[in-house]
Amino acid sequence: MNSLGRVTLLEAEFFNRDPRRVARELLGKLLVRKTPRGILAGRIVETEAYLGQGDAAAHAAAGRTARNAVLFGPPGRAYVYFIYGNHYCLNVSCLPDGMPGCVLFRALEPVNGTEQMAKARGIELARESGLKNISLLKKISSGPGRLTAALGITRERDNGKSLASPRSDLRIADDGYRVRRTVATPRIGVVKAAEQPLRYVIAGNPFVSGRSL
DNA sequence: TACATGATGCCCT
DNA sequence: GGGCATCATGTAG
């Protein structure tokens, strides 16, 4: 995986656990997308856990349907859905085959291919100062709909794809980055089961959606 | 076949 | 801070 230095790619077993644990441990890892034009990567700074039965806010709560079938399959698969007529959201399935549960990717800090991601979002980075303008960089991938647009993720292309396969163009990498402290808060945009603190962010990171914590 | 709704983001005040 | 675009999906009828 050139230009990212020495990294370890996560395998399916990493995702074969409770979504709450996976969500917290994904913080600080890299979401990596291979494209014909280069490698795009962002550091995961915000996630949310969605459980199975008993989690009224989860897509899996009402049981298996054609849309959410990936959630009931093996761990480490991309679950991509379309929302509000405009946006895609990316999740990764957790737990063994047959047990639903997933983690929603909510925000990335651009790490590699920043210009290409900005372009995919319709954002112009000034030639000199663009890569230092935090408020502008934050618009690239801080939000679940934003990061999928930045990485070119769609349901048609990516739903059901393994994030843990050597052939996949969408992977999670560990580059050794150490997260100092994480914070758990209620999930965003959900009305049911909103009281549980299942949203995880890297404390103090400016690239989380909303204000930094 | 119809309809309500949503794990959002953007633009306007 | 609030309104709204825009459509796939699930459920009711």
Side-chain angles (χ1 to χ4, degrees):
Chain A
M1 202 138 295
N2 66 61
S3 79
L4 289 179
R6 194 181 296 270
V7 301
T8 304
L9 296 172
L10 301 190
E11 305 196 37
E13 232 9 66
F14 179 90
F15 305 97
N16 192 14
R17 299 179 293 166
D18 186 293
R20 287 165 287 206
R21 177 122 185 250
V22 176
R24 198 183 277 276
E25 292 190 17
L26 278 174
L27 294 177
K29 303 291 191 295
L30 299 173
L31 179 59
V32 182
R33 172 74 135 179
K34 284 190 215 170
T35 82
R37 297 187 53 80
I39 291 179
L40 309 178
R43 193 167 309 285
I44 300 161
V45 299
E46 177 178 347
T47 58
E48 277 178 4
Y50 285 86
L51 316 178
Q53 62 176 53
D55 182 0
H59 285 186
R64 182 179 185 137
T65 67
R67 175 169 75 148
N68 68 20
V70 173
L71 296 179
F72 291 80
R77 303 293 176 88
Y79 170 54
V80 184
Y81 64 90
F82 192 59
I83 190 77
Y84 295 123
N86 290 310
H87 311 287
Y88 291 99
C89 292
L90 171 67
N91 306 251
V92 59
S93 62
C94 298
L95 296 170
D97 199 355
M99 294 180 66
C102 66
V103 173
L104 168 68
F105 295 88
R106 283 198 56 90
L108 303 176
E109 173 179 347
V111 168
N112 199 67
T114 303
E115 294 91 344
Q116 191 180 333
M117 289 191 279
K119 194 173 180 183
R121 291 266 301 115
I123 294 170
E124 283 290 333
L125 294 179
R127 199 170 294 275
E128 290 299 318
S129 58
L131 292 174
K132 296 174 185 169
N133 186 336
I134 299 289
S135 64
L136 198 55
L137 291 176
K138 182 170 170 170
K139 293 184 194 299
I140 295 175
S141 52
S142 66
R146 290 175 172 184
L147 71 89
T148 53
L151 296 180
I153 291 168
T154 66
R155 177 173 174 87
E156 294 69 30
R157 270 166 66 173
D158 301 297
N159 189 54
K161 179 180 288 182
S162 173
L163 302 189
S165 160
R167 295 176 304 285
S168 182
D169 62 353
L170 198 56
R171 300 289 308 260
I172 311 286
D174 184 347
D175 66 347
Y177 180 87
R178 297 281 183 187
V179 176
R180 288 177 181 280
R181 195 163 62 87
T182 63
V183 179
T185 80
R187 292 177 291 191
I188 305 289
V190 303
V191 288
K192 299 167 228 169
E195 69 287 352
Q196 301 182 70
L198 295 177
R199 168 177 176 250
Y200 305 94
V201 305
I202 295 180
N205 189 287
F207 292 92
V208 302
S209 68
R211 69 179 190 287
S212 112
L213 296 171

